[in-house]
Amino acid sequence: MRKILRIQLLASTAPILMFGLISFPAFAERGTIDEVIVTSQKIEQRIEDVGASISVLGADALEFRDLDSVSDIAISIPNLNYGEVAGAAQITVRGIGLNVETGFAEPAVAVHLDGVYLGRSNAAALGFGDLASVEVLRGPQGTLYGRNATGGVLNFNAKKPTDAMEAGLTAGIGSFEAFGVRGHLSGPLSDALRARVFVDYKEDDGYIENVTTGGNEGGVENLTIRGALSWDVTDNLTADLSYLNVDQEWGGPSFEKLAPFLGFGTVDLRPNIINNDITPKSNIDMQVAALNLFWEGDGFTLRSITGYTTFERVDIFDGDQTTTDVLRSGRDEDADAITQEFNLTGSSFGGKLDWIGGAFYLNEDSTAITSVDAGVVGSVILSPNPPPNPGGFLINSLAFNQLIEELEAYGVFADITINVTDALRLKGGLRYSDETKSASQSVVNLDGLLIAGGIGFPLQCQGFLSEVSFDDVSPKGGIEYDVSESVMTYAQYQQGFKSGGFNQAGCTPFEPEEVDSYEIGTKGIFADGRGYFSLSGFHYDYTNLQVLQIVGGAFGFINNAASSSVNGLELEVQFDLAENFSVEFAGSWLDATYDSFIDGVNDFSGNMLSRAPEFTLFGGVEYGVPLGCGFAEELRLRGEVFWSDDVFFRPRNAAADMQESYAVANVYATISGRDDRYQIRGFVKNIGDEEYLQNVIALFTQEASLDGSYAVGRTWGVEVGVKFN
């Protein structure tokens, strides 16, 4: 069986290179780079044969470094920037991501689990566990993946049931009273049927100190259960059925004040210390069921991917983030989706033509409710005529928004490779997408007192029915040439499409956004198989950007108000210096700016895009020391450093919107027994206890009342595991 490893290819633009690190394979045959197989192009390929920028984290790296979600892997993959706003994932790849700071919009980086599309931005913030690999595709993937893949694609591939019986149990402790235990059981039920069960429980008390309540916030109690069946129905038909359930109770979301709240209440501006008078609580439940059917025909393969997902979430949190009871916020989200995809792959004309054809269908019903209620003090502040004035009254609600939506989306696509010679290939592809969104909206502000008032937006509606439709044609073209048996070059053009939708805070729709991508690159194996490199450069024309605009000083609306250009260079290198000694380097330069963006009286043209640092570095080294005794046969050590240039989180690009350059260092160690049956694993992450922002958001005005959240500081963990084969 070919081992899947993680290798990274960085992204940015300009003639300056920076270096950083990737991840490490197992220690077997350390003298040469192990073969890396990816399925990002809907077929199995060696990573050096794919004319695109791809990073892969294999099962070994995921387990060694305790990585199971996007937030965990982001630091390891340059140009993948991750943050959260109220628990909604904000994923950016090469400067393209969710440009709506509140997170109340569809993502621009598509997330898949076992081939099933996960449309909720909150889903990417959860850990999946028991993963065989994670593939990160950088750049628009409009032809093969379709909607909402303008930034790229993240594919999470879970482990499948094994042919031989195996089991494992791991328990650990860590910072903030963390405790976790996970285990799996896998093996054959008959000659044709195999099963796998995985359970993961973890909890911690949280890392954010609330000096008002005296407790901690940000803690998690999470239970993940996954079951899988693999059935060899016939000699040429196999079926993989899987079910995942994630049940999480979270002590959040907790915003931190970065600027005073309009002069009200007491705030503490120190990182990870807050003064909220309300303890937040969030309950999240996600279920993903997937059925993959593979039929090997005569010269072709047919794959069917059927998915069913549910996502439920209820939040309660402090709306003003101060000691004063001004605002109380809540959110309720519920979504059910059915997806169906067919992929037909094959080869014709004696191998001269390789082709992929497919069709995709998505139906999703969702309800999203957000409310900002007035507290004891807030009801007086918001009222234009509070008691004891004659006829006085109190305002009970600043805002109530409800969006009930049905989405129906279709897509058909084709992708071909013409093998002109053994070394020269021409690529082409086309996808047609069509989708319709129907909605019922209710928006009530200040108990119904607020009207449009010349602001230019309908700020209120009740039971407002509307429907929007979008269609798109996304082309792809390229050329690949093998310079030698181990080095290839490529050039490609590709287009991406992100869906439009409805403003949850208002009663108006917004249009889709598009990106045209041009990329050239080279990659290959060198030094007799001991090294791997990848170098790429790209240019994007990014139009009709969906951005958040603050209207009337307090209401955020999504508008297609911007266009931008993105240029970048990426370099990554992995090299095995000796049998048990490897180094990795990667670096990026990114020039991502708004060509045109007028927000009211503000002109943000020329400003940097959000979550798009100009330079990033990631570097690391890994070393294995043979110990030679039964229980302790090998000591495995790893150190890594990530550095990021200044990064802005809002289009204004003010000093308060920026996180200055920072560096994070992590170390890992594992002692393994014979055949990896026993393991003792430990880590320290963010050794320097670096304090850095992960997001900045303005909930009410462009200048005052800034909120945000800081990354967790230094953490440690130790766990002991045993495997049975």
Coordinates of all heavy atoms in Angstrom, one line a residue, residues 400 402 440-445 458-464 506-508:
F400 N -33.6 41.9 15.3 CA -34.1 40.5 15.1 C -34.1 40.2 13.6 O -34.7 40.9 12.8 CB -35.5 40.3 15.7 CG -36.0 38.9 15.4 CD1 -35.7 37.9 16.2 CD2 -36.8 38.7 14.3 CE1 -36.2 36.6 16.0 CE2 -37.3 37.5 14.1 CZ -37.0 36.4 14.9
Q402 N -34.4 37.0 10.8 CA -34.7 35.6 10.5 C -34.7 35.3 9.0 O -35.3 36.1 8.2 CB -36.1 35.1 11.0 CG -36.4 33.7 10.7 CD -37.8 33.3 11.3 OE1 -37.9 32.8 12.4 NE2 -38.8 33.5 10.5
S440 N -37.6 33.4 2.8 CA -38.6 34.2 3.6 C -37.8 34.9 4.7 O -37.1 34.3 5.5 CB -39.7 33.3 4.2 OG -40.5 34.0 5.1
Q441 N -37.9 36.2 4.7 CA -37.1 37.0 5.6 C -37.9 37.9 6.5 O -39.0 38.4 6.1 CB -36.1 38.0 4.8 CG -35.0 37.2 4.1 CD -34.1 38.2 3.4 OE1 -34.3 38.5 2.2 NE2 -33.1 38.7 4.2
S442 N -37.5 38.0 7.7 CA -38.0 39.0 8.7 C -36.9 39.7 9.4 O -36.0 39.1 9.9 CB -38.9 38.3 9.8 OG -40.0 37.7 9.2
V443 N -36.9 41.0 9.3 CA -35.9 41.9 9.9 C -36.7 43.0 10.6 O -37.4 43.8 10.0 CB -35.0 42.5 8.8 CG1 -34.0 43.5 9.5 CG2 -34.3 41.4 8.0
V444 N -36.5 43.0 12.0 CA -37.1 44.0 12.8 C -36.1 44.7 13.7 O -35.3 44.0 14.4 CB -38.2 43.4 13.7 CG1 -38.9 44.4 14.5 CG2 -39.2 42.6 12.9
N445 N -36.0 46.0 13.6 CA -35.0 46.8 14.3 C -35.7 47.7 15.3 O -36.7 48.4 15.0 CB -34.1 47.5 13.4 CG -33.3 46.6 12.5 OD1 -32.5 45.8 12.9 ND2 -33.5 46.8 11.2
P458 N -33.5 48.8 2.7 CA -34.7 48.5 3.5 C -34.3 47.8 4.8 O -34.0 46.6 4.8 CB -35.5 47.5 2.5 CG -34.4 47.0 1.6 CD -33.4 48.0 1.5
L459 N -34.4 48.5 5.9 CA -33.9 47.9 7.1 C -35.0 47.1 7.9 O -34.7 46.6 8.9 CB -33.5 49.1 8.1 CG -32.2 49.9 7.6 CD1 -31.9 51.0 8.5 CD2 -31.1 48.9 7.4
Q460 N -36.2 47.0 7.3 CA -37.2 46.2 8.0 C -38.0 45.5 7.0 O -38.3 46.0 5.9 CB -38.1 47.1 8.9 CG -37.4 47.8 10.0 CD -38.3 47.9 11.2 OE1 -37.8 47.6 12.3 NE2 -39.5 48.3 11.1
C461 N -38.4 44.3 7.3 CA -39.4 43.5 6.5 C -39.9 42.4 7.4 O -39.1 41.9 8.3 CB -38.8 43.0 5.2 SG -37.3 41.9 5.4
Q462 N -41.1 41.9 7.1 CA -41.6 40.8 7.9 C -42.3 39.8 6.9 O -43.2 40.2 6.1 CB -42.6 41.2 8.9 CG -42.0 42.1 10.0 CD -42.9 42.2 11.2 OE1 -43.5 41.3 11.7 NE2 -43.0 43.5 11.7
G463 N -41.8 38.6 6.9 CA -42.3 37.6 6.0 C -42.1 37.9 4.6 O -42.9 37.5 3.7
F464 N -41.0 38.6 4.3 CA -40.7 39.0 2.9 C -40.2 37.8 2.1 O -39.3 37.2 2.4 CB -39.7 40.1 2.9 CG -39.3 40.7 1.6 CD1 -40.2 41.4 0.9 CD2 -38.0 40.4 1.1 CE1 -39.8 41.9 -0.4 CE2 -37.6 40.9 -0.2 CZ -38.5 41.6 -0.9
G506 N -30.8 42.4 6.3 CA -31.6 43.3 5.5 C -32.5 42.5 4.6 O -32.6 41.3 4.7
C507 N -33.1 43.2 3.6 CA -34.1 42.5 2.8 C -33.7 42.7 1.3 O -34.5 42.8 0.4 CB -35.5 43.1 3.0 SG -35.9 43.3 4.7
T508 N -32.4 42.6 1.1 CA -31.8 42.8 -0.3 C -30.9 41.6 -0.6 O -30.2 41.1 0.3 CB -31.1 44.1 -0.4 OG1 -30.0 44.1 0.5 CG2 -32.0 45.3 -0.2

